[in-house]
Amino acid sequence: DTGVSQDPRHKITKRGQNVTFRCDPISEHNRLYWYRQTLGQGPEFLTYFQNEAQLEKSRLLSDRFSAERPKGSFSTLEIQRTEQGDSAMYLCASSLATYEQYFGPGTRLTVT
Amino acid sequence: GENVEQHPSTLSVQEGDSAVIKCTYSDSASNYFPWYKQELGKRPQLIIDIRSNVGEKKDQRIAVTLNKTAKHFSLHITETQPEDSAVYFCAASTVNSGYALNFGKGTSLLVTP
């Protein structure tokens, strides 16, 4: 499968725990985006990378959230001290230079 | 920041009829407008997009129109089929934000046989 992949697909954690998600973009795509989607809503932008540089962060990305793309390939999104309000689908998308973004299957996070 | 409004939130049509979904945006600098289809439990899939230098684009049964002056764009699906049933999202983006997508809240389309 040459599409965007994400791991894990589902994560259940207790409030206060840290979680980390991984995204593998389409090979050679230099842009990588993270979005969050809650039930009945459209995806909301969190942050994006061009190669290894994090160029934009949404106000939604609190200090508890951090993202990295160390070698310009895969990316990780970490949430520290999770809260129930963090429960959502976390989607990753990648694109080549500009325009068309292709989404991964998402990681569904449930915070109990 | 950019605000994208999408209407209607739900749409039910008979198989073979046309469906139209409308979106408005607030940032006049927006210049890229994709549409995504999301089936239950699946990832959003890009179905068509339009750039600001074009007024209309068509791909088989799907078309998108853009009115930059009025800051609105629409998705048109003709000859609808039951497999068109899904949630459709419009989005807008600008080069200044690295083409980060600002999505509407979605339209749940139901095509009944």
Side-chain angles (χ1 to χ4, degrees), chain A residues 9-96:
Chain A
R9 297 290 306 276
H10 305 273
K11 178 71 177 178
I12 300 174
T13 190
K14 293 188 176 183
R15 187 179 55 185
Q17 298 294 305
N18 299 344
V19 294
T20 300
F21 312 140
R22 176 180 170 125
C23 170
D24 287 88
I26 294 171
S27 179
E28 296 180 356
H29 275 193
N30 61 340
R31 290 195 177 205
L32 188 150
Y33 302 80
W34 285 99
Y35 295 86
R36 181 173 67 187
Q37 186 176 28
T38 54
L39 198 62
Q41 301 294 318
E44 297 173 296
F45 168 72
L46 294 177
T47 188
Y48 97 91
F49 294 83
Q50 181 164 311
N51 299 313
E52 66 274 10
Q54 188 174 17
L55 297 185
E56 186 89 7
K57 288 195 286 187
S58 162
R59 292 188 302 273
L60 293 175
L61 212 67
S62 76
D63 291 345
R64 297 184 297 106
F65 288 69
S66 63
E68 293 184 341
R69 194 182 184 197
K71 297 182 181 179
S73 57
F74 74 91
S75 175
T76 58
L77 178 68
E78 180 183 17
I79 308 174
Q80 296 182 327
R81 305 181 303 282
T82 52
E83 302 173 354
Q84 287 190 316
D86 296 331
S87 295
M89 176 73 85
Y90 290 84
L91 292 163
C92 172
S94 70
S95 71
L96 182 61

Side-chain angles (χ1 to χ4, degrees), chain B residues 53-106:
Chain B
N53 58 345
V54 176
E56 185 174 359
K57 184 177 178 180
K58 190 174 181 180
D59 183 4
Q60 300 182 346
R61 297 185 297 108
I62 295 173
V64 57
T65 58
L66 171 65
N67 183 327
K68 284 209 72 180
T69 302
K71 289 191 280 189
H72 68 70
F73 56 112
S74 300
L75 177 71
H76 304 252
I77 306 174
T78 59
E79 301 172 20
T80 54
Q81 302 166 3
E83 50 265 40
D84 294 330
S85 296
V87 179
Y88 291 80
F89 293 99
C90 63
S93 65
T94 70
V95 62
N96 292 339
S97 66
Y99 293 103
L101 298 174
N102 296 282
F103 284 86
K105 292 191 174 183

